[in-house]
Amino acid sequence: HHKSAWLASVITPFVRFAYHGPTPLFLVEANTPGTGKGLLCDATGIIVCGRPMSRMSYPNGDDEMRKNITSTALAGDRLVLIDNISTTLGLPSLDAALTASTWRDRMLGKNETTGDIPLTTIWYATGNNVALTGDIARRICHIRLSSPLENPEERTGFTHPDLLAWIRDNRGRLAAACLTVVRAYMAVGRPAQNQTPWGSYEAWSDLVRSALVWAGQPDPATAKRELITQSDRDGAALRGLIEGWQEIDHDGTGLTAAKAIERLDANRDQFETLRAALQDLLSAPPGKLPTSKQIGTKLRYLRGRVIGGKFFDSREIKKSMHWFVCKSEEVLPDSFDPVVDGGFTPFEEFVSQSAQEEIWR
């Protein structure tokens, strides 16, 4: 599926204007330097444009990233490679650009805006074992290279020793092959491939991803799902937080963040699951607990997110917010009061069958 994801990265530029909406970032990642990340991206650039991709370094902060995106949008660059990421990948401006079709920003050095600029750039990135932050994992089509060698750049015996020269000589045939895959899929009526949705990238998925799956390739989204699982630090810590909270809130009546800290302080040799989860989520100094305000803020951010069939919810009791763990089947529509007799009542018991059918209809 990583190979299929690379095929998607080559085909996508040829059909960029055959679908509406954004395109995921193609992250070419490796386990060690010298594996061929940049070479693979240059191969893509030569097939698509006849030349290697233009490169940019990963900026130190979001403000610089925003300026780079604005400059890229104004220039109308088709392909941009963020090369050799040595820090974490994930900034608010990049997240926004990867799910946008237009871009607006303040003109550099001027007190006026750019207006709405079409943003059709396809973004690529390379790095070794890149750590992801924020919400960028779901915006990535992941291409992983792996070598068992200590110095993979010293390898020999390739089928095409000068790969880029071979691609230049065969560019017409390779470009035609990219177009043929999509054209064949469209010629048979674009049959549905029954894939799981790829949020924010539905149009790209319905064309490029579906064409590859129809042509017999693995689903490129498989790599994305693996990446989300590996990079979801909050999700992993939330699982421990839910388990630990159930231990400390043993009667299930809910606890305030302050009461949770009080119980942790009073039982220093217990509730290790909760302590570890709080340490992971809030990065408290070793041996110290975060403040009740920090815990409350984090719980509000994670409220309602289901992990392992359970989630956090809250209710106010005597002007204090109490947090407790619920089962996902107890989720109710927002228009209903979920709290009945100090707990949750399943929706099926809350209203009549006829009312349920009318509401859902």
Side-chain angles (χ1 to χ4, degrees), residues 162-271:
D162 190 345
L163 178 62
L164 299 185
W166 181 86
I167 290 174
R168 290 187 182 94
D169 292 340
N170 292 271
R171 184 188 170 214
R173 184 164 64 88
L174 296 168
C178 292
L179 292 165
T180 298
V181 171
V182 181
R183 177 68 187 117
Y185 175 63
M186 298 179 74
V188 297
R190 297 177 66 167
Q193 299 303 302
N194 300 318
Q195 302 163 139
T196 55
W198 192 325
S200 302
Y201 304 105
E202 293 85 356
W204 172 86
S205 178
D206 288 345
L207 183 61
V208 178
R209 177 186 171 200
S210 293
L212 282 167
V213 173
W214 172 80
Q217 295 299 310
D219 185 356
T222 304
K224 180 206 70 167
R225 289 191 288 270
E226 289 179 351
L227 191 66
I228 290 175
T229 301
Q230 294 168 6
S231 65
D232 190 3
R233 178 172 170 264
D234 276 3
L238 176 57
R239 188 181 299 275
L241 189 65
I242 287 173
E243 293 175 2
W245 201 269
Q246 286 182 296
E247 290 177 3
I248 201 170
D249 181 25
H250 45 80
D251 55 4
T253 57
L255 290 175
T256 64
K259 188 65 176 178
I261 291 177
E262 182 181 320
R263 290 189 181 179
L264 288 171
D265 275 333
N267 301 273
R268 295 183 178 275
D269 58 344
Q270 298 181 39
F271 310 122

Side-chain angles (χ1 to χ4, degrees), residues 305-322:
R305 179 173 177 182
V306 178
I307 295 288
K310 299 177 182 179
F311 66 98
F312 273 105
D313 211 332
S314 62
R315 61 189 173 107
E316 190 172 343
I317 303 175
K318 296 181 180 180
K319 298 184 178 181
S320 296
M321 195 62 69
H322 285 62

